[in-house]
Amino acid sequence: MSASDSWKLLVFRDGKSGRSGSKLLRELCRQTEEVLSLCDFTSRSAQEELIEALLRSGELECALADQEQCETQAATLAALTDEFAAALIKKRQPNLASSTRDALSGLAVPEQLTIAPPEGLCYYALHPLDYSDLLRDSAIEVPAAAVVGIRSIGTTLSAIVCAWLNLHGIPAERITVRPTGHPFDRSLSFDDKQQRWIAACIQRAAHFFVVDEGPGLSGSSFLAVAEALERAGVAPGQITLLPSSSPDLGSLIASNAAQRWSRFRTLALQPTRRIPQGAVEDISGGAWRKRVFASESQWPAVWSWTERKKYLSADGERVFRFDGHGHYGKTARQRSEVLAECGWGPGVSSVGEGFSESPWLNGIRPSTADREVLIQLARYCAFRAEYFAQEPASQEALEEMTRVNLDRALGVSIPISLPVERTVIADARMMAHEWIRCTDGRLLKLDASSHGDDHFYPGPTDIAWDIAGAITEWKLKGDDIDLLVSEYQRLSGDNVQSRLTCYLLAYCVFRLAFTTSAGLSVSDADERMRFEQEAETWRQMLADCKSVRDFKGQAGKKNAGLVAAGI
């Protein structure tokens, strides 16, 4: 596998999903009325309700902006999003006339819309008000501002930026855009209306602000927008990029990224200051390993920027974890509550700013699976199959991930089919170090509420994914596999054996792609070595996979290069 191909491995899934437009509108109207019923907008609860309204409005605005022939509806939603953003910044009630509310409830929207989760607000402890903090600290002095949000999350973030500028005496307007093309090589062309808007902003000597989270692995979305603005007549010195983190220009993999990016000004967010009271010690980015393992030689590899934010209390007794803002965080927290109620996890409570609080658990983390552990693993999978069941979901994206990564990482091309019998929100973190035997003897599962529904694969999938995860992560063999599978089948009545081989292959392929991509991304030499070692483990597991061995035998000399690839 060449270095260039290694960056093309699929690890991030497309989180877009189809939703009922009328239901999205009803949810937004209900949340709007909830906000308008509040009195004290300085309270934590009111701020959280405002954030929920802002997210729902930005979500629907983005979906309508992406939809053809919905320009009028998108404009209506943009005005609402702007007002929620202004209310959040000023800690006041939104200024919404009754006519506006009536127009909103009667808005004609398509029955089917596509939405995507705002990842920073769901997974990475990005607070909507972080951008108001950034602008305040940066002493912005411009005669006028033109704000360009990059959809999806840039819809909501651009509203915050635009509202802050207007509230501080800088006339500001905004639009949102959707760059297209390969994730590492995005491009953007403005339509005629956007071109006219840009020209009018230039006439007012406006400074242009490009807003999005990221810049991610490539930086190509930011670059696509900035360079499109330049082609439209905006001087590079009049363009400022507002990413959610400081980019390491040397690591961005878009073509000539560092040289292109450096032509524009950058104002990047610092880590959020908006964390719960009592959250003292940052244990994110793998720092938690110091408290869990006796030596660094036992540390699992951690792709630091993909981890959720975690903090400890001063006494080390409580852990604060970012679950997400608004309904995204509520959904993850509800899963944690079910886990706790059913005896599989610690208790959890909301503490604001998108964080949840749980007790820090002390105990033994088993490294091998004896009979008791195997039975508990089977019970846990049966539990998830029952309590976190989902409507049947297409596995087309997961099948594509498996095919593409097999081909790009190993040069193997075989048909992949992943049958679905029990669709669930998987745990997707079945590693041994994610389990703890507490002092009272209970075996509990940690970090179990959100990884099966974040922006990595698998997304909603068959419970066979978690069983495959248990087998491979615990390095089970022979009789141990038989016990795990038979006990799960006894408890659930689900004949998972018939589809398990396919999911074992898919799981190993994903973990190879993940560890390979992470190893190329991290800058720390020790972390890189851990990922390289883990990637080699997954490569060897694939070497032992029957379907891959069969391919080798059938391919003969034509694929002799597979030997060099490690299978």
Side-chain angles (χ1 to χ4, degrees):
M1 175 175 56
S2 69
S4 60
D5 284 343
S6 67
W7 278 117
K8 299 176 184 177
L9 299 177
L10 304 181
V11 293
F12 299 100
R13 71 186 181 96
D14 184 351
K16 294 177 182 176
S17 61
R19 292 284 305 278
S20 163
S22 58
K23 183 176 181 180
L24 288 171
L25 182 60
R26 286 195 303 273
E27 291 169 343
L28 173 58
C29 290
R30 185 163 51 246
Q31 185 61 31
T32 300
E33 295 303 318
E34 177 67 26
V35 167
L36 293 174
S37 71
L38 302 175
C39 297
D40 179 10
F41 282 84
T42 64
S43 68
R44 190 192 88 185
S45 60
Q47 289 280 289
E48 289 181 351
E49 295 296 343
L50 263 175
I51 290 173
E52 171 76 324
L54 174 67
L55 296 190
R56 288 195 179 277
S57 185
E59 182 177 70
L60 185 53
E61 177 195 341
C62 179
L64 290 169
D66 282 335
Q67 188 84 9
E68 292 184 1
Q69 300 180 335
C70 284
E71 184 176 329
T72 300
Q73 296 95 319
T76 299
L77 265 296
L80 184 66
T81 307
D82 288 340
E83 182 52 36
F84 283 137
L88 182 64
I89 292 171
K90 297 293 287 185
K91 296 184 178 180
R92 62 161 171 78
Q93 188 178 58
N95 293 325
L96 296 178
S98 58
S99 58
T100 301
R101 293 153 64 183
D102 291 342
L104 177 66
S105 62
L107 199 67
V109 298
E111 184 49 42
Q112 194 70 12
L113 288 171
T114 300
I115 63 169
E119 294 175 359
L121 302 171
C122 298
Y123 314 133
Y124 296 133
L126 175 61
H127 196 288
L129 292 178
D130 288 342
Y131 277 87
S132 64
D133 295 341
L134 173 68
L135 295 171
R136 184 188 63 241
D137 295 345
S138 302
I140 302 295
E141 295 182 5
V142 296
V147 182
V148 183
I150 303 177
R151 303 179 211 142
S152 299
I153 192 174
T155 307
T156 301
L157 300 181
S158 65
I160 290 287
V161 171
C162 198
W164 188 93
L165 292 167
N166 278 312
L167 290 169
H168 289 80
I170 301 174
E173 299 177 4
R174 73 180 177 100
I175 61 171
T176 64
V177 296
R178 173 76 73 180
T180 59
H182 190 279
F184 298 161
D185 188 24
R186 300 289 195 200
S187 62
L188 177 67
S189 295
F190 295 116
D191 61 31
D192 290 343
K193 183 177 181 180
Q194 292 168 337
Q195 292 276 11
R196 292 192 296 272
W197 180 83
I198 294 167
C201 291
I202 293 173
Q203 286 293 317
R204 295 196 301 272
H207 192 96
F208 286 75
F209 295 89
V210 182
V211 190
D212 195 14
E213 64 182 350
L217 294 176
S218 72
S220 69
S221 291
F222 270 105
L223 292 171
V225 177
E227 291 170 347
L229 287 171
E230 189 177 2
R231 291 193 300 272
V234 184
Q238 291 295 104
I239 300 172
T240 294
L241 310 182
L242 299 178
S244 61
S245 60
S246 297
D248 178 358
L249 298 185
S251 69
L252 296 180
I253 61 175
S255 176
N256 299 318
Q259 178 183 358
R260 294 162 63 194
W261 190 289
S262 298
R263 299 176 63 248
F264 311 103
R265 185 188 183 200
T266 299
L267 285 178
L269 291 184
Q270 298 300 311
T272 186
R273 291 172 279 185
R274 299 175 182 275
I275 61 177
Q277 184 177 6
V280 175
E281 180 186 350
D282 189 348
I283 57 170
S284 311
W288 54 268
R289 294 173 294 186
K290 298 176 182 177
R291 296 181 59 91
V292 170
F293 300 100
S295 70
E296 288 191 23
S297 63
Q298 298 173 293
W299 286 10
V302 167
W303 198 353
S304 59
W305 73 266
T306 69
E307 268 204 344
R308 290 183 181 247
K309 272 288 186 181
K310 303 180 188 71
Y311 295 86
L312 275 180
S313 58
D315 59 8
E317 296 295 321
R318 293 170 296 151
V319 60
F320 303 88
R321 179 181 185 274
F322 183 76
D323 275 334
H325 292 289
H327 53 286
Y328 297 102
K330 290 177 184 177
T331 298
R333 198 170 299 116
Q334 286 167 357
R335 293 191 199 111
S336 295
E337 291 168 351
V338 171
L339 286 156
E341 291 169 2
C342 295
W344 288 111
V348 62
S349 59
S350 172
V351 287
E353 313 294 12
F355 282 80
S356 299
E357 176 188 357
S358 298
W360 176 269
L361 299 180
N362 293 306
I364 298 172
R365 306 208 178 207
S367 58
T368 58
D370 57 19
R371 179 179 177 82
E372 181 183 356
V373 168
L374 290 169
I375 291 174
Q376 292 294 341
L377 291 173
R379 287 185 58 236
Y380 179 69
C381 289
F383 155 78
R384 290 199 78 98
E386 178 179 358
Y387 282 83
F388 299 138
Q390 298 286 294
E391 291 297 318
S394 170
Q395 299 301 281
E396 183 177 347
L398 201 58
E399 292 167 348
E400 180 188 21
M401 179 278 295
T402 308
R403 285 194 301 268
V404 168
N405 288 342
L406 266 176
D407 182 44
R408 291 177 180 172
L410 301 175
V412 172
S413 180
I414 55 177
I416 303 295
S417 177
L418 297 172
V420 179
E421 295 291 337
R422 296 285 182 94
T423 306
V424 300
I425 297 298
D427 179 291
R429 296 281 296 179
M430 296 293 285
M431 299 81 164
H433 67 262
E434 297 280 0
W435 295 79
I436 186 168
R437 188 174 298 284
C438 298
T439 53
D440 61 6
R442 292 180 301 157
L443 185 66
L444 298 185
K445 181 65 179 63
L446 307 176
D447 201 11
S449 63
S450 58
H451 284 290
D453 194 28
D454 60 16
H455 69 307
F456 289 106
Y457 289 98
T461 189
D462 194 273
I463 188 62
W465 183 270
D466 275 346
I467 296 175
I471 291 170
T472 54
E473 301 288 359
W474 288 81
K475 298 179 174 57
L476 304 183
K477 303 291 183 183
D479 292 343
D480 289 342
I481 296 176
D482 292 342
L483 175 59
L484 171 70
V485 173
S486 63
E487 184 66 10
Y488 164 78
Q489 293 186 169
R490 183 186 70 81
L491 293 167
S492 65
D494 172 23
N495 181 25
V496 72
Q497 182 68 62
S498 62
R499 59 191 189 277
L500 185 55
T501 299
C502 304
Y503 281 90
L504 281 166
L505 173 63
Y507 188 92
C508 290
V509 168
F510 170 71
R511 292 293 288 146
L512 173 61
F514 181 94
T515 51
T516 300
S517 299
L520 290 165
S521 174
V522 298
S523 56
D524 181 80
D526 291 335
E527 208 71 77
R528 187 183 309 115
M529 182 179 66
R530 293 186 191 100
F531 274 119
E532 289 172 352
Q533 291 172 344
E534 289 193 17
E536 184 56 36
T537 298
W538 294 108
R539 192 181 298 276
Q540 187 55 53
M541 284 192 181
L542 284 167
D544 296 336
C545 181
K546 181 178 184 299
S547 56
V548 176
R549 290 202 313 271
D550 287 348
F551 174 84
K552 256 182 64 178
Q554 294 164 9
K557 294 181 180 180
K558 179 180 178 182
N559 287 284
L562 292 178
V563 176
I567 58 174

